[in-house]
């Protein structure tokens, strides 16, 4: 999994982005601690495992669910 | 004399509040203590005799972890247990997922600001343009 560290706003720990071919890249916030980056990495992997990009639920529902499982 | 619209809202508020109290196993005495109000005030909400002012509705929504719309709007039920607090953030985060220009899902706090999502959108656009060779 391609993973990059960049400075993101403080209220965003990271994100996962998918391209047209279905390849994904996880972006983590370089301003966060290593422990937080690990948690965020796991969160983004969960989005991929749950196939959330193909899910018709709203983002609000997806995140609500994903954070409940944390 | 209350208008028909106000009475509808009072009924909806009362129904949603009772549902939340039941789900959270909390009675009127406990809720009044949590809100710092008298039991008779909470009883008026439950029995459709009054609706609290907006500040108290916000406090109730925050206490039960639901958006304000859940307590006041007929279609607010679909928003129950929403994650993001700011409605503009919800729209932008949805665009981030659905728009092929971005296709991204976040790990962010509930209080994520719309400006932060816009910053992320700009970065994704920049990164994609760079990868496609449009930017050196």
């Amino acid at each position: 999994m391609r993973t990059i560290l960049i400075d993101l706003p403080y209220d965003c720990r990271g994100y996962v982005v998918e391209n047209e071919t279905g390849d994904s890249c996880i972006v983590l916030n370089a301003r966060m601690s290593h422990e937080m980056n690990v948690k965020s990495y796991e969160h983004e992997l969960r989005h991929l495992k749950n196939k959330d990009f193909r899910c018709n639920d709203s983002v609000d529902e997806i995140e609500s669910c994903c954070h409940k499982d944390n | 004399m209350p208008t028909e619209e106000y009475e509808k809202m009072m009924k909806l508020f009362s129904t949603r509040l009772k549902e939340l109290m039941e789900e959270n196993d909390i009675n009127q005495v406990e809720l009044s203590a949590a809100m710092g109000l008298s039991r008779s005030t909470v009883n008026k909400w439950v029995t459709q005799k009054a609706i609290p002012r907006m500040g108290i509705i916000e406090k109730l929504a925050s206490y039960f972890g639901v958006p304000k719309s859940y307590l006041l709007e007929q279609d607010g039920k679909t928003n129950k247990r929403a994650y993001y607090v700011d409605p503009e953030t919800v729209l932008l985060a949805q665009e981030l997922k659905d728009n092929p220009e971005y296709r991204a899902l976040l790990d962010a706090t509930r209080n994520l600001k719309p400006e932060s999502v816009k910053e992320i959108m700009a970065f994704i656009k920049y990164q994609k343009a760079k990868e496609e060779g449009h930017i050196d």
Side-chain angles (χ1 to χ4, degrees):
Chain A
M1 176 67 59
R2 188 172 161 232
T3 307
I4 54 175
L5 264 175
I6 56 160
D7 283 352
L8 292 173
Y10 284 102
D11 48 3
C12 180
R13 293 179 282 260
Y15 61 86
V16 57
V17 63
E18 192 184 68
N19 66 19
E20 309 78 50
T21 56
D23 294 327
S24 312
C25 172
I26 291 177
V27 178
L28 300 172
N29 193 343
R31 290 169 166 153
M32 301 286 164
S33 66
H34 173 71
E35 290 74 21
M36 190 57 85
N37 282 157
V38 170
K39 277 188 182 174
S40 191
Y41 187 80
E42 286 168 354
H43 178 99
E44 301 307 353
L45 283 181
R46 205 172 302 126
H47 277 314
L48 295 173
K49 193 180 155 214
N50 294 346
K51 298 186 178 8
D52 286 338
F53 280 113
R54 274 141 207 87
C55 168
N56 288 327
D57 288 347
S58 72
V59 165
D60 232 13
E61 286 169 303
I62 291 171
E63 291 306 338
S64 194
C65 223
C66 212
H67 283 274
K68 199 168 30 178
D69 295 341
N70 278 357
Chain B
M1 190 165 161
T3 63
E4 197 181 323
E5 201 59 35
Y6 185 78
E7 279 183 359
K8 261 191 203 170
M9 195 193 276
M10 211 150 52
K11 190 177 175 191
L12 178 72
F13 175 81
S14 163
T15 306
R16 296 275 161 84
L17 181 64
K18 281 188 277 186
E19 281 175 9
L20 287 170
M21 286 169 68
E22 203 177 308
E23 280 174 26
N24 289 275
D25 196 22
I26 180 171
N27 61 34
Q28 291 183 29
V29 176
E30 289 162 331
L31 184 60
S32 58
M35 293 292 113
L37 298 164
S38 69
R39 193 198 152 178
S40 67
T41 302
V42 173
N43 185 259
K44 279 180 193 166
W45 302 340
V46 171
T47 55
Q48 298 174 40
K49 285 180 185 136
I51 289 188
R53 58 184 168 80
M54 199 43 82
I56 300 289
I57 291 176
E58 277 171 11
K59 209 171 160 185
L60 281 167
S62 166
Y63 179 76
F64 287 114
V66 295
K68 281 179 292 177
S69 62
Y70 180 74
L71 289 161
L72 297 171
E73 293 168 18
Q74 193 61 48
D75 58 358
K77 203 153 189 169
T78 53
N79 297 329
K80 195 182 176 192
R81 309 283 182 241
Y83 183 70
Y84 295 114
V85 173
D86 191 313
E88 196 187 342
T89 299
V90 176
L91 293 176
L92 288 167
Q94 192 66 49
E95 191 187 348
L96 205 55
K97 172 182 175 271
D98 297 338
N99 189 333
E101 273 188 76
Y102 307 112
R103 292 282 288 165
L105 282 163
L106 302 165
D107 177 19
T109 65
R110 295 188 72 228
N111 294 312
L112 179 69
K113 293 188 195 78
E115 297 75 38
S116 300
V117 187
K118 286 176 192 166
E119 205 179 305
I120 291 160
M121 284 172 154
F123 182 76
I124 293 173
K125 267 191 174 179
Y126 168 80
Q127 194 69 21
K128 286 199 173 179
K130 202 174 162 188
E131 281 168 14
E132 285 162 13
H134 302 308
I135 299 173
D136 290 332

